[in-house]
Amino acid sequence: MSGYDQSDDRDTAIRFLVEAALKSVADKRRTESPKTKDDWIDRLCEEIMSESETSHHAVISSLMATGVSSDEVLGDYVPAVARRIGELWVQDKATFVQVTIGAARLQALFQNRTDLPRGTWLDRTVPLGQSLLMILPAVEDHTLGAFAAADQFRRHGLWVRMAIRLSNAELLHVVEEGRFSMLGISMATYKSVENVKEIIKNLKSGLERCPPIVVGGKYVADSDGVEILTGADLAVRSAREAIEACGLASVAKSLAVDSLT
């Protein structure tokens, strides 16, 4: 029996035992209902990056069965999951594929709520007759924050349109044709600064009357003086802050969850 090494069999057996044990723990965890909000966020984060295409929907259904509303899921839990996925990526605990799948599924939750395909205008009723154009710069790869912010503004009673990666000429035309009470620009990373600066300069120089331009998003939340860097009128960290600063009315003054993630 020359060349045969029994240690190979032992290593294989040990590996199978470890994998079986880990699978058993994971299966048991999935059958147990999360106890706290953080537990729910962890579970949703895990399933939204999993190989299953539907398991995250089951988690959301179970969460809502506990009394959590769809608005809370989209306004609170989804942004928290997005942040958790980002942390896992930075800590090298999630692969590029997992992060990509997770981000796409999170964004789909917002898109499916409007029953419209990606990249289209997202219009709703106008309870207060006020409208907002949410602008996503061409250099931004992260669109989830913009969709989350738009949903928060809608919950406050504003009619929101999405302008996704439009050229300066196209954007200028859209603003000229619309009657917007505010222009919002989503900034997820520092790489947006120069692009946003150019967008704002184009709008202010090309429009006879330019609505207030507000910047928000993860980069704004983590930085100071963004309005000075970009030329925006305001840099805000929540939908409520933007609405109040621009003197607009809100149908959700008592809303507790309204961050621009």
Side-chain angles (χ1 to χ4, degrees):
M1 300 289 291
S2 176
Y4 178 75
D5 188 349
Q6 290 184 335
S7 64
D8 291 340
D9 289 340
R10 287 196 299 270
D11 291 344
T12 299
I14 291 172
R15 186 176 72 252
F16 284 152
L17 286 172
V18 170
E19 290 176 351
L22 291 174
K23 184 177 184 301
S24 176
V25 171
D27 289 343
K28 181 180 180 181
R29 183 174 179 273
R30 285 190 175 92
T31 60
E32 295 177 348
S33 180
K35 305 301 182 188
T36 66
K37 181 178 179 180
D38 282 342
D39 289 341
W40 280 107
I41 292 170
D42 286 339
R43 177 69 60 82
L44 184 54
C45 182
E46 178 183 342
E47 297 304 330
I48 213 147
M49 293 191 298
S50 72
E51 294 180 0
S52 171
E53 296 184 3
T54 59
S55 60
H56 64 288
H57 291 296
V59 174
I60 292 174
S61 296
S62 298
L63 174 60
M64 294 180 66
T66 67
V68 175
S69 69
S70 60
D71 281 343
E72 288 176 306
V73 171
L74 290 175
D76 194 5
Y77 286 82
V78 167
V81 170
R83 287 191 292 271
R84 189 69 54 84
I85 290 175
E87 292 169 358
L88 292 174
W89 169 253
V90 171
Q91 297 167 5
D92 201 25
K93 293 180 179 179
T95 67
F96 176 77
V97 172
Q98 288 175 316
V99 171
T100 301
I101 290 174
R105 287 173 177 168
L106 286 175
Q107 182 173 312
L109 293 175
F110 288 99
Q111 294 170 326
N112 293 340
R113 193 184 189 193
T114 62
D115 297 322
L116 289 174
R118 181 176 182 176
T120 60
W121 297 106
L122 305 182
D123 300 341
R124 292 189 179 175
T125 57
V126 193
L128 297 176
Q130 300 169 141
S131 60
L132 159 71
L133 182 66
M134 179 63 69
I135 302 167
L136 184 69
V139 298
E140 280 292 351
D141 298 321
H142 306 283
T143 59
L144 177 63
F147 279 94
D151 202 70
Q152 294 295 342
F153 280 110
R154 291 190 182 101
R155 291 169 63 192
H156 278 279
L158 274 71
W159 178 39
V160 182
R161 284 186 169 182
M162 302 292 291
I164 302 177
R165 303 186 181 97
L166 299 183
S167 68
N168 282 338
E170 291 171 331
L171 185 58
L172 195 61
H173 176 72
V174 169
V175 178
E176 286 176 334
E177 293 296 316
R179 295 182 177 180
F180 300 105
S181 304
M182 182 198 310
L183 305 179
I185 303 181
S186 177
M187 300 178 63
T189 62
Y190 175 76
K191 70 179 182 180
S192 299
V193 172
E194 289 302 319
N195 190 209
V196 170
K197 183 178 180 179
E198 180 184 349
I199 290 172
I200 293 175
K201 181 179 179 181
N202 176 68
L203 289 170
K204 289 190 173 183
S205 62
L207 294 171
E208 184 175 341
R209 188 196 72 82
C210 185
I213 300 178
V214 178
V215 292
K218 188 178 188 306
Y219 175 69
V220 176
D222 296 339
S223 310
D224 294 321
V226 181
E227 66 272 33
I228 298 175
L229 290 174
T230 60
D233 297 307
L234 295 164
V236 300
R237 290 171 170 78
S238 71
R240 182 193 298 278
E241 183 183 352
I243 289 170
E244 292 178 351
C246 291
L248 304 182
S250 169
V251 296
K253 291 183 178 179
S254 61
L255 187 65
V257 181
D258 64 352
S259 70
L260 287 173
T261 308

